[in-house]
Amino acid sequence: MTVTQAREKALAELSLIATTRQTSYQQKQGRAEAQQFANMTLGKVFKDYLTSHKNLKPATIADYERSIRVGFPDWESLPLNSITRDMVEERHRERSQHSAARANNEMRVLRSIFNYAAEEYFDDNQQPLIKSNPVKRLSHSRA
């Protein structure tokens, strides 16, 4: 093998590594980020939200707690990043059959929790862990 051939082969290998393989650092970061997401359940983030919003009136807190307890009892243990736009739309549709006003209020609370998480939780590179709010679909579809 000539020096030129060796350089070309080395460049090809480096290119392959850069484009397809993750370094051990990237793999560790991916695992750490996955762990951060797993710890960011709806229930935990909601508790953090209430703790950080000290000026909420007791009646408002009770209303928010009711919204989460009644509207999303099966979502409290879900990581926020696993709650999809389709899930939100379907839940809103289901809850609207009982009371449209209640369903809208529950979605406002959920939207606030996602907005809070997007501004509160960051990865090691200071990028938000929550990149989009799935409740926005309701505004977009005018639901």
Side-chain angles (χ1 to χ4, degrees):
M1 180 181 288
T2 67
V3 174
T4 304
Q5 290 171 330
R7 281 190 190 123
E8 288 174 0
K9 185 171 180 164
L11 285 173
E13 284 295 313
L14 287 172
S15 175
L16 181 65
I17 289 170
T19 57
T20 61
R21 296 181 188 162
Q22 287 187 332
T23 64
S24 61
Y25 175 74
Q26 289 170 321
Q27 290 171 349
K28 286 177 187 174
Q29 271 199 311
R31 285 191 297 268
E33 188 171 304
Q35 183 62 36
Q36 286 174 317
F37 275 134
N39 292 334
M40 285 182 32
T41 64
L42 177 61
K44 183 202 178 307
V45 175
F46 177 58
K47 287 178 185 171
D48 292 349
Y49 175 86
L50 291 178
T51 301
S52 71
H53 288 75
K54 297 179 186 335
N55 295 333
L56 293 176
K57 295 179 182 177
T60 301
I61 293 171
D63 184 53
Y64 287 3
E65 288 173 339
R66 182 202 174 284
S67 291
I68 296 299
R69 186 180 67 251
V70 174
F72 312 102
D74 52 334
W75 290 8
E76 287 189 67
S77 61
L78 291 178
L80 280 187
N81 68 334
S82 70
I83 299 172
T84 65
R85 293 174 180 193
D86 290 338
M87 290 169 64
V88 169
E89 189 172 20
E90 177 63 26
R91 183 59 52 99
H92 183 258
R93 193 176 308 115
E94 290 169 4
R95 300 292 299 147
S96 292
Q97 292 175 356
H98 302 289
S99 168
R102 249 300 138 203
N104 291 338
N105 188 55
E106 291 164 358
M107 292 301 151
R108 278 192 292 275
V109 172
L110 185 62
R111 183 182 62 223
S112 295
I113 293 168
F114 269 95
N115 288 341
Y116 168 79
E119 294 297 324
E120 187 67 23
Y121 303 106
F122 297 90
D123 64 15
D124 294 335
N125 297 321
Q126 296 305 308
Q127 297 298 314
L129 290 175
I130 300 297
K131 308 232 187 301
S132 68
N133 189 330
V135 185
K136 280 187 176 181
R137 174 179 274 186
L138 298 178
S139 299
H140 179 71
S141 64
R142 300 194 187 272

